mmCIF file of all heavy atoms in Angstrom:
data_model
loop_
_atom_site.group_PDB
_atom_site.id
_atom_site.type_symbol
_atom_site.label_atom_id
_atom_site.label_comp_id
_atom_site.label_asym_id
_atom_site.label_seq_id
_atom_site.Cartn_x
_atom_site.Cartn_y
_atom_site.Cartn_z
ATOM 1 N N SER A 132 10.890 6.224 -22.058
ATOM 2 C CA SER A 132 10.462 5.513 -23.265
ATOM 3 C C SER A 132 11.157 4.179 -23.480
ATOM 4 O O SER A 132 10.760 3.406 -24.353
ATOM 5 C CB SER A 132 10.676 6.403 -24.495
ATOM 6 O OG SER A 132 12.048 6.706 -24.659
ATOM 7 N N SER A 133 12.204 3.889 -22.690
ATOM 8 C CA SER A 133 12.914 2.620 -22.862
ATOM 9 C C SER A 133 13.747 2.331 -21.621
ATOM 10 O O SER A 133 13.846 3.159 -20.713
ATOM 11 C CB SER A 133 13.825 2.663 -24.101
ATOM 12 O OG SER A 133 14.845 3.636 -23.929
ATOM 13 N N ALA A 154 9.761 11.727 -22.124
ATOM 14 C CA ALA A 154 10.841 11.321 -23.020
ATOM 15 C C ALA A 154 10.627 12.030 -24.346
ATOM 16 O O ALA A 154 9.598 12.679 -24.556
ATOM 17 C CB ALA A 154 10.870 9.805 -23.211
ATOM 18 N N ARG A 155 11.572 11.883 -25.259
ATOM 19 C CA ARG A 155 11.450 12.567 -26.551
ATOM 20 C C ARG A 155 10.596 11.791 -27.543
ATOM 21 O O ARG A 155 9.957 12.385 -28.411
ATOM 22 C CB ARG A 155 12.841 12.805 -27.148
ATOM 23 C CG ARG A 155 13.665 13.843 -26.380
ATOM 24 C CD ARG A 155 15.038 14.002 -26.981
ATOM 25 N NE ARG A 155 15.799 12.746 -26.938
ATOM 26 C CZ ARG A 155 16.989 12.583 -27.479
ATOM 27 N NH1 ARG A 155 17.569 13.581 -28.121
ATOM 28 N NH2 ARG A 155 17.629 11.425 -27.392
ATOM 29 N N ARG A 156 10.560 10.462 -27.459
ATOM 30 C CA ARG A 156 9.889 9.639 -28.470
ATOM 31 C C ARG A 156 8.424 9.423 -28.098
ATOM 32 O O ARG A 156 8.090 8.552 -27.301
ATOM 33 C CB ARG A 156 10.619 8.303 -28.612
ATOM 34 C CG ARG A 156 12.031 8.462 -29.168
ATOM 35 C CD ARG A 156 12.769 7.141 -29.240
ATOM 36 N NE ARG A 156 13.121 6.647 -27.918
ATOM 37 C CZ ARG A 156 13.858 5.542 -27.718
ATOM 38 N NH1 ARG A 156 14.275 4.828 -28.749
ATOM 39 N NH2 ARG A 156 14.142 5.158 -26.490
ATOM 40 N N GLU A 157 7.569 10.251 -28.688
ATOM 41 C CA GLU A 157 6.157 10.234 -28.323
ATOM 42 C C GLU A 157 5.497 8.887 -28.615
ATOM 43 O O GLU A 157 4.663 8.416 -27.837
ATOM 44 C CB GLU A 157 5.392 11.348 -29.035
ATOM 45 C CG GLU A 157 3.929 11.431 -28.609
ATOM 46 C CD GLU A 157 3.224 12.661 -29.133
ATOM 47 O OE1 GLU A 157 3.812 13.382 -29.979
ATOM 48 O OE2 GLU A 157 2.081 12.909 -28.704
ATOM 49 N N GLU A 158 5.857 8.260 -29.740
ATOM 50 C CA GLU A 158 5.222 6.989 -30.093
ATOM 51 C C GLU A 158 5.538 5.914 -29.051
ATOM 52 O O GLU A 158 4.679 5.083 -28.725
ATOM 53 C CB GLU A 158 5.653 6.535 -31.494
ATOM 54 C CG GLU A 158 7.088 6.082 -31.654
ATOM 55 C CD GLU A 158 8.094 7.227 -31.710
ATOM 56 O OE1 GLU A 158 7.671 8.404 -31.696
ATOM 57 O OE2 GLU A 158 9.305 6.937 -31.771
ATOM 58 N N ARG A 159 6.733 5.953 -28.487
ATOM 59 C CA ARG A 159 7.089 4.980 -27.450
ATOM 60 C C ARG A 159 6.344 5.278 -26.159
ATOM 61 O O ARG A 159 5.927 4.362 -25.442
ATOM 62 C CB ARG A 159 8.600 5.009 -27.210
ATOM 63 C CG ARG A 159 9.441 4.584 -28.397
ATOM 64 C CD ARG A 159 9.397 3.093 -28.627
ATOM 65 N NE ARG A 159 10.031 2.343 -27.571
ATOM 66 C CZ ARG A 159 11.315 1.973 -27.580
ATOM 67 N NH1 ARG A 159 12.101 2.302 -28.597
ATOM 68 N NH2 ARG A 159 11.812 1.279 -26.580
ATOM 69 N N LEU A 160 6.162 6.554 -25.845
ATOM 70 C CA LEU A 160 5.414 6.936 -24.647
ATOM 71 C C LEU A 160 3.955 6.512 -24.759
ATOM 72 O O LEU A 160 3.368 6.004 -23.798
ATOM 73 C CB LEU A 160 5.507 8.446 -24.425
ATOM 74 C CG LEU A 160 6.873 9.004 -24.029
ATOM 75 C CD1 LEU A 160 6.820 10.530 -23.985
ATOM 76 C CD2 LEU A 160 7.333 8.446 -22.690
ATOM 77 N N GLU A 161 3.371 6.738 -25.928
ATOM 78 C CA GLU A 161 1.975 6.352 -26.138
ATOM 79 C C GLU A 161 1.806 4.847 -25.993
ATOM 80 O O GLU A 161 0.848 4.374 -25.353
ATOM 81 C CB GLU A 161 1.515 6.810 -27.525
ATOM 82 C CG GLU A 161 0.105 6.371 -27.898
ATOM 83 C CD GLU A 161 -0.966 6.919 -26.976
ATOM 84 O OE1 GLU A 161 -0.807 8.057 -26.483
ATOM 85 O OE2 GLU A 161 -1.957 6.202 -26.747
ATOM 86 N N THR A 178 5.743 14.633 -24.027
ATOM 87 C CA THR A 178 7.045 14.583 -24.683
ATOM 88 C C THR A 178 7.972 15.613 -24.043
ATOM 89 O O THR A 178 7.591 16.767 -23.835
ATOM 90 C CB THR A 178 6.928 14.854 -26.195
ATOM 91 O OG1 THR A 178 6.211 16.082 -26.396
ATOM 92 C CG2 THR A 178 6.193 13.720 -26.888
ATOM 93 N N THR A 179 9.183 15.154 -23.715
ATOM 94 C CA THR A 179 10.084 15.981 -22.921
ATOM 95 C C THR A 179 11.522 15.774 -23.351
ATOM 96 O O THR A 179 12.015 14.646 -23.394
ATOM 97 C CB THR A 179 9.977 15.610 -21.420
ATOM 98 O OG1 THR A 179 8.613 15.693 -21.002
ATOM 99 C CG2 THR A 179 10.828 16.539 -20.568
ATOM 100 N N GLU A 309 19.643 0.507 -24.210
ATOM 101 C CA GLU A 309 20.052 1.162 -25.454
ATOM 102 C C GLU A 309 21.166 2.189 -25.247
ATOM 103 O O GLU A 309 21.549 2.880 -26.182
ATOM 104 C CB GLU A 309 18.856 1.900 -26.078
ATOM 105 C CG GLU A 309 17.659 1.037 -26.400
ATOM 106 C CD GLU A 309 16.481 1.865 -26.893
ATOM 107 O OE1 GLU A 309 16.590 3.112 -26.871
ATOM 108 O OE2 GLU A 309 15.466 1.277 -27.286
#
Side-chain angles (χ1 to χ4, degrees):
S132 62
S133 64
R155 291 178 299 175
R156 294 177 289 185
E157 184 171 9
E158 70 283 356
R159 296 286 293 268
L160 291 174
E161 176 62 34
T178 53
T179 306
E309 301 175 354

